[in-house]
């Protein structure tokens, strides 16, 4: 089949894009874009051996030199931003600005990681023994498997890979079967950075394309000390026990069921703008998408009316069109799941505004975002549906609102809109939100790379991106140096011979 001009611009060839068994389909119109060759499971031992060999060399490269590779990657991403962003749109269905924003996120984490390469610091610790000093040192951990989801097909890889590389670890990347093209295009960008770098070991970053059997081979291997997996809670339940059984480490970024509390003092115009972006951006297919709106009873009817008006005006269609704000769901199965969830919500007493299927582009799975006024937090509300559905519930007291927010299995992102300082601080306190992300007067979606990203409970407890998330990619050693001419023991123990 002929090569899509966009993919050719990204450096992909006919040999890479045709003749394989994995179809790459655009959610925009259901078009078959490529037929990709899958990695055979029998190749995995060789891939693991190459990664281990790369680790032996890369761990001894000074960290600032490792950071130079990531700096070059950032430069190449800047040059490729428009084309790579367009591939994100083609394959994930994101509107153009979101596709470009995802590549910008890659650039930003490269900048962060370059600085980090000179800041992999440990502590100096006071010793109780005279003439002794204690300290911590951090060392590379080993090959890191990065398993990514379709909805952020390249940004999450970059969060992990930029940090893993400066920490001294090789990377094996398994993208979602629904978004392999963006992975291939990204590897073409990385290969240009590697060529400029000059002396990186072979097998430093490898790509495997295929299904769950490949993921299973990576998570089961003791040659992969760290697995970073992004996806559903169902997937995490499979990954975590297998990694733990062999005493490996896992960074899990799983489901989210994110809520916003709207208090009586909230700036409603600001809240409406935040709600609409958070709930319908990426067609509701972000792990941080707003799924539950908990509104003070005095505001509820008016806010639902404002939102219904705003939703009715949303341009839905081809995400490449400049005015489009809502693109397609990833496939028909996602659309079917959305309709099933809305049917269950109606059965549980909900009143649905919107949610109907839209014939925006032939072959694509498009739907109008839905607002569902619910009498209570029912079973369907407590279940994450990866679609633009916003459940609305009321509250009387802040304690009720916080309890309602926390009463779901997931714990990723949360927020409150209020002008009351006491309410804001209560929400952020130990008795407030139980999520990994808690915001005030900003939605739950659109996190910056400077903070550690991740959540609690069934979200998995992993942390990626900024702050001190880098520590998950390294091993810690506690060192004690005796520079005296005596050998005292700690805790006053005497053992004289």
């Amino acid at each position: 089949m002929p090569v899509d001009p966009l993919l050719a611009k990204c450096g992909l060839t006919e040999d890479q894009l045709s003749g394989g068994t994995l179809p790459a389909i655009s959610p925009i119109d259901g078009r078959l874009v490529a037929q990709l060759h899958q990695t055979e499971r029998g190749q995995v031992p060789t891939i693991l051996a190459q990664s281990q060999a790369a680790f032996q060399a890369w761990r001894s490269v000074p960290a600032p030199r490792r950071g130079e590779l990531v700096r070059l990657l950032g430069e190449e991403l800047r040059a490729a931003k428009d084309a790579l962003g367009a591939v994100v749109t083609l394959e994930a269905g994101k509107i153009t600005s979101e596709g470009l924003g995802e590549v910008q996120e890659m650039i930003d984490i490269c900048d962060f990681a370059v600085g980090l390469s000179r800041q992999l610091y440990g502590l100096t610790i006071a010793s109780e023994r005279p003439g002794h000093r204690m300290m911590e040192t951090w060392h590379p951990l080993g090959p890191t498997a990065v398993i990514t989801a379709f909805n952020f097909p390249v940004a999450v890889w970059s969060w992990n890979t930029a940090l893993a590389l400066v920490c001294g670890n090789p990377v094996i990347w398994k993208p979602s079967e629904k978004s392999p093209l963006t992975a291939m295009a990204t590897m073409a960008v990385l290969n240009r950075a590697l060529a400029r770098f000059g002396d990186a070991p072979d097998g430093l970053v490898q790509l495997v394309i295929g299904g769950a059997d490949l993921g299973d081979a990576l998570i089961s291997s003791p040659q992969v000390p760290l697995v970073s997996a992004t996806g559903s809670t169902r997937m995490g339940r499979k990954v975590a026990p297998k990694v733990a059984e062999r005493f490996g480490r896992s960074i899990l970024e799983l489901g989210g069921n994110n809520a916003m509390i709207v208090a009586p003092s909230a700036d409603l115009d600001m809240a409406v703008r935040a709600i609409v972006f958070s709930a319908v951006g990426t067609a509701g297919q972000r792990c941080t998408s707003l799924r539950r709106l908990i509104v003070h009873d005095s505001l509820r009817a008016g806010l639902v009316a404002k939102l219904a008006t705003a939703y009715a005006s949303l341009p839905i269609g081809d995400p490449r069109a400049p005015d489009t704000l809502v693109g397609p769901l990833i496939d028909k199965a996602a659309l079917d799941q959305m309709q099933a969830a809305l049917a269950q919500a109606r059965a549980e007493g909900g009143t649905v505004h919107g949610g109907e299927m839209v014939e925006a582009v032939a072959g694509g799975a498009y739907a109008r975002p839905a607002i569902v006024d619910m009498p209570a937090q029912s079973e369907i509300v407590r279940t994450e549906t990866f679609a633009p559905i916003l459940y609305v519930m009321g509250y009387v007291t802040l304690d009720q609102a916080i309890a309602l927010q926390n009463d779901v299995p997931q714990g990723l992102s949360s927020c409150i809109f209020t002008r009351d300082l006491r309410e804001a601080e209560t929400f952020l306190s130990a008795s407030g939100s139980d999520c990994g992300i808690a915001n005030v007067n900003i939605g739950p979606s659109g996190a910056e790379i400077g903070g550690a990203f991740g959540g609690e409970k069934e979200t998995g407890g992993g942390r990626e991106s900024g702050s001190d998330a880098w520590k998950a990619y390294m091993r810690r050693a506690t060192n004690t140096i005796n520079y005296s001419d005596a050998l005292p023991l700690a805790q006053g123990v005497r053992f004289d011979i």
Side-chain angles (χ1 to χ4, degrees):
M1 61 187 301
V3 176
D4 186 293
L6 174 60
L7 300 179
K9 185 177 180 181
C10 291
L12 302 183
T13 66
E14 183 175 355
D15 287 345
Q16 291 176 291
L17 300 173
S18 62
T21 57
L22 179 66
I25 297 172
S26 174
I28 296 173
D29 52 11
R31 176 170 63 96
L32 178 66
V33 180
Q35 289 276 9
L36 304 178
H37 300 276
Q38 300 191 63
T39 305
E40 296 179 6
R41 182 156 182 163
Q43 297 174 260
V44 173
T46 300
I47 290 167
L48 293 173
Q50 289 174 335
S51 192
Q52 281 289 342
F55 176 56
Q56 303 303 312
W58 191 242
R59 66 183 179 181
S60 297
V61 174
R65 174 64 179 157
R66 299 193 298 248
E68 173 65 8
L69 173 58
V70 177
R71 188 189 70 80
L72 293 171
L73 174 59
E75 284 190 355
E76 294 295 338
L77 286 169
R78 284 175 169 86
K81 180 177 177 179
D82 288 347
L84 188 54
V87 178
V88 172
T89 294
L90 175 71
E91 190 168 46
K94 294 187 175 187
I95 63 173
T96 297
S97 67
E98 287 190 296
L100 293 171
E102 182 161 352
V103 182
Q104 185 60 50
E105 196 164 352
M106 301 173 76
I107 295 167
D108 292 345
I109 196 64
C110 286
D111 288 348
F112 178 91
V114 172
L116 176 65
S117 70
R118 295 180 181 271
Q119 299 179 73
L120 301 174
Y121 51 80
L123 298 175
T124 298
I125 305 163
S127 173
E128 67 183 71
R129 290 171 281 185
H132 286 61
R133 177 169 64 86
M134 295 176 63
M135 68 179 187
E136 290 180 345
T137 50
W138 292 85
H139 301 292
L141 183 62
T144 300
V146 180
I147 300 172
T148 56
F150 77 84
N151 59 323
F152 277 86
V154 288
V156 172
W157 171 82
S158 70
W159 292 354
N160 285 276
T161 299
L163 268 61
L165 287 176
V166 299
C167 289
N169 302 338
V171 171
I172 304 170
W173 181 13
K174 186 207 164 304
S176 167
E177 305 96 297
K178 297 179 182 180
S179 55
L181 292 174
T182 45
M184 295 171 66
T186 299
M187 288 296 293
V189 175
L190 174 64
N191 286 336
R192 292 195 288 272
L194 286 165
R196 292 174 62 191
F197 184 78
D199 59 352
D202 292 339
L204 184 60
V205 181
Q206 298 180 82
L207 177 67
V208 299
I209 291 178
D213 60 325
L214 290 175
D216 182 72
L218 294 176
I219 66 178
S220 300
S221 173
Q223 297 184 73
V224 182
L226 177 63
V227 175
S228 178
T230 300
S232 66
T233 297
R234 178 180 56 82
M235 180 269 286
R237 291 191 195 282
K238 296 179 180 178
V239 172
K242 289 189 176 182
V243 177
E245 184 178 20
R246 59 178 179 83
F247 299 103
R249 293 189 201 171
S250 57
I251 300 172
L252 298 178
E253 297 292 349
L254 309 175
N257 196 347
N258 315 295
M260 176 191 294
I261 297 171
V262 181
S265 65
D267 180 329
L268 289 185
D269 289 337
M270 183 185 292
V272 167
R273 293 198 302 273
I275 291 164
V276 175
F277 169 71
S278 300
V280 310
T282 323
Q285 297 172 116
R286 292 181 176 222
C287 52
T288 54
S289 289
L290 179 62
R291 309 209 180 276
R292 296 176 297 135
L293 186 61
I294 303 167
V295 189
H296 192 269
D297 282 348
S298 64
L299 305 175
R300 182 174 177 179
L303 184 56
V304 169
K306 284 178 179 287
L307 289 173
T309 299
Y311 271 44
S313 68
L314 291 171
I316 302 170
D318 190 324
R320 297 167 295 192
D323 295 332
T324 297
L325 292 179
V326 182
L329 292 162
I330 190 64
D331 53 27
K332 186 177 183 300
L335 181 60
D336 291 344
Q337 289 170 359
M338 178 180 178
Q339 298 306 312
L342 292 175
Q344 186 174 339
R346 290 187 183 95
E348 294 175 358
T351 300
V352 177
H353 308 269
E356 62 272 9
M357 292 180 283
V358 176
E359 294 295 332
V361 181
Y366 294 81
R368 185 163 296 282
I371 302 167
V372 186
D373 215 337
M374 294 296 295
Q377 187 154 273
S378 63
E379 186 60 31
I380 191 59
V381 180
R382 299 179 78 250
T383 302
E384 180 190 32
T385 302
F386 225 52
I389 301 175
L390 179 63
Y391 299 106
V392 184
M393 295 160 289
Y395 79 92
V396 177
T397 69
L398 182 62
D399 287 346
Q400 290 175 338
I402 291 173
L404 195 61
Q405 177 199 279
N406 293 345
D407 186 27
V408 294
Q410 311 86 355
L412 178 52
S413 192
S414 61
C415 61
I416 186 171
F417 270 72
T418 181
R419 290 169 171 161
D420 186 321
L421 179 62
R422 290 171 296 183
E423 288 187 327
E425 291 293 343
T426 298
F427 181 76
L428 300 178
S429 73
S431 58
S433 170
D434 66 359
C435 295
I437 299 169
N439 298 332
V440 176
N441 294 330
I442 186 172
S445 193
E448 300 178 36
I449 60 92
F453 181 90
E456 304 302 325
K457 301 187 294 189
E458 289 190 2
T459 302
R463 292 297 186 274
E464 298 170 324
S465 196
S467 185
D468 66 349
W470 61 271
K471 293 180 178 178
Y473 302 82
M474 305 196 82
R475 61 179 178 86
R476 183 198 319 240
T478 300
N479 314 126
T480 304
I481 302 99
N482 179 3
Y483 58 91
S484 74
D485 56 4
L487 193 63
L489 300 176
Q491 293 87 45
V493 174
R494 297 185 64 87
F495 196 84
D496 299 326
I497 59 172

